[in-house]
Amino acid sequence: SAVISQKPSRDICQRGTSLTIQCQVDSQVTMMFWYRQQPGQSLTLIATANQGSEATYESGFVIDKFPISRPNLTFSTLTVSNMSPEDSSIYLCSTHRAGEAFFGQGTRLTVV
Amino acid sequence: GENVEQHPSTLSVQEGDSAVIKCTYSDSASNYFPWYKQELGKGPQLIIDIRSNVGEKKDQRIAVTLNKTAKHFSLHITETQPEDSAVYFCAASNRYSTLTFGKGTMLLVSP
């Protein structure tokens, strides 16, 4: 199995500020994924991040709002920019290994 | 794109009873169907998965069935225990990289 360390586990942020979430994988992986899980809802894919190229964003998500970095094969960050209360969610990073998806423990973000 | 419907949204059972959660999908090209358990404050954990070349898979108290003709798959938990209480998500994928999730089922097992 793949181990993904995600931090912070939770944060309370002021509107208008930005938060960067980090994910570290215990081995090199080609793709990393970022999901949003709004309260009581399912997981929605924000973007796919490959090392050495720009992230691919899903419909409804844009780079200016959710910039992603993928500096190497074990690490990625997601920034939630210019936050508003509507951004309050759990954010999860994920990767795949041997056809199975593994998730970080999530970052519970509350914007006040 | 793929659309996954999951039912029920909540399910309450008594300890020892069985629980069944059902999902349907829209993309006939999907060939991988995992189930995840998410406990409070944690990320989803894979509990069982099935690929389109089999119709049923079992792992101790958990089983998954797949009907490709009808495009639906189900999770069966037998002899439920309070620690089975969690949110369960089904998902479908037609590629190695992208999963489409159902909306989740909150399972509550009462002692």
Side-chain angles (χ1 to χ4, degrees):
Chain A
S1 63
V3 175
I4 305 177
S5 299
Q6 182 175 345
K7 60 180 181 181
S9 59
R10 59 178 63 232
D11 208 341
I12 300 174
C13 300
Q14 296 290 323
R15 67 178 67 201
T17 63
S18 298
L19 176 71
T20 296
I21 303 166
Q22 300 179 5
C23 273
Q24 179 76 49
V25 188
D26 64 347
S27 62
Q28 294 182 343
V29 294
T30 304
M31 292 183 177
M32 292 185 71
F33 308 89
W34 288 96
Y35 289 87
R36 181 175 71 183
Q37 186 177 24
Q38 294 179 303
Q41 300 296 314
S42 187
L43 287 76
T44 301
L45 182 65
I46 297 172
T48 302
N50 291 334
Q51 193 270 334
S53 63
E54 280 198 4
T56 302
Y57 288 82
E58 299 298 306
S59 176
F61 299 97
V62 295
I63 188 171
D64 289 347
K65 177 67 175 177
F66 298 101
I68 288 171
S69 78
R70 185 81 204 276
N72 57 55
L73 290 173
T74 65
F75 188 78
S76 181
T77 68
L78 170 77
T79 298
V80 186
S81 302
N82 189 24
M83 290 183 283
S84 66
E86 292 71 34
D87 295 320
S88 297
S89 284
I90 297 173
Y91 293 85
L92 294 142
C93 61
S94 173
T95 191
H96 287 238
R97 179 176 297 161
E100 180 180 336
F102 297 92
F103 291 85
Q105 72 268 35
T107 296
R108 183 179 293 272
L109 171 63
T110 302
V111 183
V112 297
Chain B
E2 175 66 274
N3 181 48
V4 177
E5 299 283 342
Q6 183 173 346
H7 299 279
S9 57
T10 59
L11 179 59
S12 294
V13 299
Q14 292 289 320
E15 183 177 2
D17 289 350
S18 294
V20 180
I21 303 170
K22 299 182 179 182
C23 288
T24 61
Y25 61 99
S26 61
D27 188 348
S28 58
S30 289
N31 56 15
Y32 176 60
F33 308 93
W35 285 89
Y36 291 88
K37 177 182 181 182
Q38 187 176 24
E39 298 175 321
L40 192 64
K42 297 183 180 180
Q45 296 285 323
L46 179 72
I47 56 171
I48 195 167
D49 58 12
I50 192 168
R51 298 186 186 274
S52 60
N53 57 342
V54 297
E56 183 174 0
K57 184 176 179 181
K58 190 173 182 180
D59 183 3
Q60 299 182 350
R61 298 186 296 109
I62 296 173
V64 57
T65 60
L66 171 65
N67 183 327
K68 285 223 72 177
T69 302
K71 294 206 282 277
H72 67 69
F73 55 112
S74 300
L75 177 71
H76 303 253
I77 305 175
T78 59
E79 302 172 28
T80 54
Q81 302 167 3
E83 50 266 37
D84 294 329
S85 297
V87 179
Y88 291 82
F89 292 98
C90 63
S93 173
N94 63 359
R95 290 182 293 151
Y96 176 81
S97 59
T98 301
L99 289 168
T100 301
F101 287 86
K103 292 188 181 299
T105 297
M106 179 175 292
L107 174 64
L108 177 61
V109 181
S110 303

